[in-house]
Amino acid sequence: MSLLKIVRVVILVCVGLNKYNSSNKTRNLKPYQSRFYLMWSRARAGYGYLRRFSTVVRRRSEDEGDWLYSSEWWGSDSDDGHTVLRSTSGKGNGVVSVVAYHSSRPNRMHWSGMERWLQKRCEEVHPGYGDGGKLRILGYQWRVLRFNDVTRQSTAKVMATYHDNMPGVVYLMQQPRCLAVPYVKSMISAGLTTIASCNFDIISALQGKKNMHILCIGHGGGSLPLFLASQIQGATVHVVEIDPLVISASIRAMGFPACSLKTQSGDQAVSKPEIIDEIMWKGIHERICLYEADAEEFIVNSRNIYDMIFVDAYDGDDIFPHKLWRPDSTFLKAMSNRLHPKHGTVVVNLHSDSDVLNLDTVPSSLEHILPMGKYVSQVCRAYKDVLVGREGSGLAFTVAVPWVCNTSLVVCRGFDKDTEYFNREFVINTLISKSLELEHVMDLPFSCLEYIKRGFILV
């Protein structure tokens, strides 16, 4: 039998099984579950089984956030994504909405394994919780956080579960290892690789043998802090978000742990986590502190010393606020005092699409589309001069993010510049060596190397 015939047979079998499973799933659900399931399944329409099969064949490893799946969550006005949250921000972000789309991965054959994990966690955290019924998986979705129905601010994959004893209540759990947006992978890859190259014992931090203090400026859907807290056992992650609506959207519609929310004094906003939170997030939510605060005020009043700081703060007009990057700003000066003096590393997400354009020649029709790129070089210089100085020990570089118009800026202290061989190739080779080590130790589903070798420029 030819390969083409084999592919056709497999596709027909997949289509048949999917129709059978879908019909049986709906019949076996209670009426209110059935309504939720129908909503959950709206985004399935029109999805190509041929693409699904060929993608699995091509994949070298399992990365559910691979850009190959972006067609599922990218969406357009003609797509049948379902809006699950929509409200107007009082902090300048305009209309904040969360749209749900069907996710093809993980497929149904892997659900039973996750249900067994949930049951095991139930027994560990709260013996007897599952005696009257087990936690079941309802399905998986992409959830996309948007500003003004245009900007895709954040994308996360969520798992929906329900308990046999309470079938009318659905719990959402964001999947920490699934990073869909390339610039998030770029920030993590470039940032962790760099701090590992500055004599910081990242391996001990990953294993929980060493403390690591991380600050995230800008929250979005929360995929960045969740990944860091879940992968780095020794990490304590502070997250600062100025917009309470964004915080609410991430918790209510994007499966971020509500028990991580803190008051201004640092106390838990929720007096006691629910049992389901302990089951899903034990070991993770205790190390995430989400604050509703202005970034400048927070860092000025902070007394913490951070090993790493991630900055991804754009408003509803997709603009990086000037006070977060001007060289004479209070924010940058305070950040310099809060960054570890020997290995402190800062990673900034920047829009780079118009950096090469002359301001006088940019058509007015493009100014609202390309509001940030024209400042990229100024931002890079400001961060480098303030955080490491013109002749200080450390360096700054940028890498281009694949598939999207973003640049990751990395500024670090403590990078060895004393060697006579210090140059661009020396830096790249050092980063490559560390990236391969991190990929192996962290068992990452994506390649760090892919995100540090592209468009590398020393500032």
Side-chain angles (χ1 to χ4, degrees):
M1 182 182 295
S2 67
L3 178 60
L4 180 59
K5 290 183 178 179
I6 294 175
V7 171
R8 287 174 176 170
V9 170
V10 172
I11 293 172
L12 289 174
V13 172
C14 290
V15 173
L17 286 174
N18 183 75
K19 290 181 178 179
Y20 173 80
N21 289 334
S22 298
S23 60
N24 278 277
K25 177 70 175 177
T26 307
R27 281 201 300 270
N28 294 333
L29 290 175
K30 301 288 193 304
Y32 39 79
Q33 287 180 297
S34 179
R35 287 193 297 272
F36 188 91
Y37 178 79
L38 290 174
M39 180 277 286
W40 190 266
S41 304
R42 286 182 64 182
R44 293 173 184 260
Y47 189 76
Y49 286 92
L50 177 60
R51 178 192 169 280
R52 208 182 287 179
F53 175 78
S54 61
T55 298
V56 174
V57 171
R58 290 198 306 269
R59 294 214 35 74
R60 66 174 180 84
S61 63
E62 183 65 19
D63 181 7
E64 295 176 10
D66 194 287
W67 187 249
L68 289 169
Y69 297 106
S70 61
S71 60
E72 296 181 359
W73 58 264
W74 188 260
S76 68
D77 294 338
S78 60
D79 290 326
D80 57 346
H82 180 76
T83 300
V84 295
L85 181 145
R86 185 179 178 86
S87 188
T88 301
S89 166
K91 292 291 185 177
N93 287 325
V95 177
V96 176
S97 61
V98 177
V99 182
Y101 299 93
H102 168 68
S103 171
S104 63
R105 309 289 290 178
N107 57 41
R108 195 177 297 273
M109 69 176 65
H110 297 296
W111 294 8
S112 59
M114 179 55 71
E115 288 178 341
R116 287 193 297 270
W117 178 85
L118 289 170
Q119 188 63 24
K120 181 180 179 181
R121 181 62 71 89
C122 286
E123 296 168 359
E124 293 174 353
V125 174
H126 199 282
Y129 179 76
D131 289 348
K134 298 182 178 180
L135 283 169
R136 304 292 184 183
I137 293 179
L138 186 57
Y140 291 83
Q141 276 189 349
W142 295 109
R143 294 290 175 97
V144 181
L145 176 67
R146 298 189 186 215
F147 289 167
N148 296 314
D149 298 322
V150 178
T151 303
R152 296 172 184 83
Q153 206 283 338
S154 185
T155 300
K157 179 175 288 188
V158 301
M159 175 182 70
T161 63
Y162 64 95
H163 197 282
D164 284 345
N165 286 342
M166 299 176 289
V169 180
V170 177
Y171 308 105
L172 297 181
M173 179 185 183
Q174 189 173 141
Q175 304 299 282
R177 279 176 61 85
C178 181
L179 299 176
V181 185
Y183 79 76
V184 178
K185 291 180 179 178
S186 174
M187 294 177 74
I188 288 173
S189 299
L192 294 184
T193 299
T194 300
I195 195 171
S197 303
C198 296
N199 298 317
F200 179 79
D201 189 359
I202 187 69
I203 304 301
S204 293
L206 290 169
Q207 298 170 346
K209 300 176 182 178
K210 177 182 177 66
N211 293 329
M212 184 175 185
H213 300 280
I214 302 173
L215 173 63
C216 295
I217 303 294
H219 177 59
S223 57
L224 177 60
L226 262 184
F227 179 90
L228 294 169
S230 65
Q231 292 294 113
I232 307 175
Q233 298 303 308
T236 298
V237 184
H238 291 174
V239 190
V240 180
E241 171 58 51
I242 194 172
D243 194 341
L245 180 56
V246 171
I247 293 176
S248 177
S250 73
I251 293 173
R252 292 169 51 197
M254 302 191 75
F256 191 83
C259 44
S260 64
L261 186 59
K262 306 295 182 183
T263 63
Q264 294 291 345
S265 61
D267 298 325
Q268 276 194 328
V270 180
S271 58
K272 184 179 180 180
E274 295 184 14
I275 295 176
I276 191 67
D277 290 324
E278 293 282 355
I279 291 172
M280 290 183 171
W281 300 112
K282 181 175 174 58
I284 298 179
H285 72 270
E286 299 98 329
R287 294 183 286 105
I288 300 179
C289 302
L290 173 56
Y291 298 94
E292 178 194 330
D294 176 84
E296 182 180 78
E297 294 178 4
F298 180 89
I299 204 162
V300 166
N301 296 322
S302 175
R303 292 296 176 264
N304 298 307
I305 297 297
Y306 292 103
D307 302 298
M308 294 196 74
I309 300 177
F310 291 86
V311 183
D312 181 19
Y314 285 81
D315 62 18
D317 294 322
D318 215 16
I319 294 177
F320 189 18
H322 286 201
K323 73 175 185 177
L324 298 185
W325 62 267
R326 288 292 191 189
D328 58 349
S329 68
T330 303
F331 173 80
L332 270 186
K333 293 177 181 177
M335 177 186 287
S336 181
N337 294 329
R338 304 271 62 84
L339 191 63
H340 196 285
K342 293 185 178 180
H343 56 251
T345 301
V346 176
V347 187
V348 187
N349 172 46
L350 297 173
H351 291 181
S352 59
D353 32 23
S354 64
D355 191 39
V356 297
L357 299 178
N358 185 307
L359 297 185
D360 297 330
T361 62
V362 177
S364 58
S365 59
L366 293 180
E367 289 182 352
H368 70 287
I369 302 175
L370 310 174
M372 179 57 215
K374 58 191 177 185
Y375 299 125
V376 166
S377 59
Q378 298 178 48
V379 174
C380 294
R381 177 56 59 187
Y383 269 76
K384 180 179 185 296
D385 288 349
V386 175
L387 299 181
V388 302
R390 296 181 183 274
E391 301 297 334
S393 176
L395 57 78
F397 66 86
T398 61
V399 287
V401 181
W403 302 296
V404 292
C405 293
N406 291 71
T407 291
S408 293
L409 165 66
V410 180
V411 183
C412 68
R413 294 171 170 173
F415 202 101
D416 184 13
K417 294 176 66 175
D418 295 332
T419 174
E420 60 180 307
Y421 302 107
F422 182 85
N423 54 30
R424 180 179 181 276
E425 294 305 316
F426 171 79
V427 175
I428 291 179
N429 290 336
T430 302
L431 295 176
I432 289 175
S433 175
K434 288 297 182 181
S435 74
L436 297 175
E437 180 181 4
L438 283 178
E439 286 178 30
H440 174 71
V441 175
M442 299 178 71
D443 189 27
L444 294 176
F446 56 88
S447 169
C448 286
L449 180 61
E450 182 179 2
Y451 293 93
I452 63 174
K453 69 180 182 180
R454 184 185 181 95
F456 182 95
I457 299 175
L458 281 175
V459 178

